Amino acid sequence: MLGITDLSTYLVGLALIILLPGPNSLYVVSVAARRGPRVAYRAAAGVLCGDTVLMTLSAGGVASLLQTSPVLFAVVKFAGAGYLTWLAVGMLRGAWALWRGREARRAERDGAPAAPKEAVERPYRRALVVSLLNPKAILFFISFFVQFVDPSYAHPVLSFLTLGAWAQLFSFTYLSVLIFSGTFLAATFRRRKRLTAGLSAGAGATFLGFAAKLSLASAS
């Protein structure tokens, strides 16, 4: 069908891969827990748009360019690691603010000036940048998709488009489950600020781990 070989195997492998935790899904859960499903879907849209761009670039041969240009791969790699680190620092700062929330509210009741508001978060843009600054994702898409494309098919672009559509459908479904799970957890722990702070700190530490892993990645 449309030059795709062994579709059932592709779908099983795709499901297993999407279920693996990564910075995109973790960020979507974080947004859902903090700001609710409507805002979290903006982050999910950023993930899906970023993945679409990467799939398009992969089909266009950018993956091969990254593999043959160590300098280009290093630039994209360290840019992505730096951005993940920046996000992690923001999460850790947010966790610290939550942890000190009781003292801040007490000071406000006593007449002390309120702390300055946090910078406006743009979930769509953040999720999009996290997706795009991941060279390993480009390499993954080209190496995984090509295994299920019939080389003798006259229109391989259609094969890539179909495989990509399946990937986006699986990803959207999985992110939707994460969004409403995050919303449920937020409702459960809304009154337990310190526990929420601990979870936010754990997410930030995990993002630091993602940044370290990406910075050590190689193109091969």
Side-chain angles (χ1 to χ4, degrees):
M1 181 183 69
L2 296 176
I4 299 174
T5 62
D6 203 356
L7 179 61
S8 59
T9 300
Y10 168 76
L11 295 178
V12 172
L14 183 64
L16 293 176
I17 291 166
I18 289 178
L19 289 175
L20 293 175
N24 285 334
S25 58
L26 183 60
Y27 179 65
V28 171
V29 170
S30 173
V31 173
R34 290 181 289 108
R35 304 186 60 184
R38 179 176 297 181
V39 180
Y41 269 111
R42 297 180 195 170
V47 173
L48 296 176
C49 289
D51 285 349
T52 298
V53 171
L54 294 183
M55 291 176 194
T56 303
L57 292 175
S58 299
V62 173
S64 299
L65 178 61
L66 288 177
Q67 286 180 314
T68 56
S69 177
V71 174
L72 178 60
F73 183 87
V75 169
V76 178
K77 176 178 70 173
F78 287 114
Y83 190 73
L84 288 176
T85 301
W86 181 75
L87 289 180
V89 171
M91 289 182 176
L92 292 174
R93 290 179 61 187
W96 177 249
L98 283 173
W99 189 266
R100 297 298 301 273
R102 291 184 178 181
E103 288 76 4
R105 287 192 297 272
R106 186 180 299 115
E108 186 176 354
R109 287 195 302 268
D110 293 341
K117 293 183 179 180
E118 295 182 5
V120 177
E121 183 178 10
R122 296 177 174 82
Y124 173 84
R125 187 175 69 179
R126 286 192 177 186
L128 178 65
V129 174
V130 169
S131 294
L132 295 179
L133 291 180
N134 186 0
K136 298 296 284 188
I138 302 177
L139 300 177
F140 160 74
F141 282 130
I142 192 67
S143 62
F144 185 64
F145 282 9
V146 74
Q147 299 179 53
F148 301 94
V149 175
D150 185 354
S152 63
Y153 186 63
H155 305 288
V157 173
L158 292 178
S159 304
F160 275 95
L161 287 176
T162 305
L163 294 173
W166 276 109
Q168 294 291 58
L169 176 62
F170 275 44
S171 182
F172 176 79
T173 302
Y174 178 55
L175 290 175
S176 295
V177 172
L178 293 181
I179 285 171
F180 287 101
S181 298
T183 305
F184 173 77
L185 291 176
T188 302
F189 299 123
R190 184 170 290 118
R191 298 183 182 276
R192 303 174 67 179
K193 299 297 184 182
R194 292 192 174 184
L195 178 57
T196 303
L199 293 175
S200 182
T206 304
F207 262 61
L208 286 177
F210 286 134
K213 182 179 180 181
L214 180 57
S215 65
L216 297 174
S218 63
S220 57

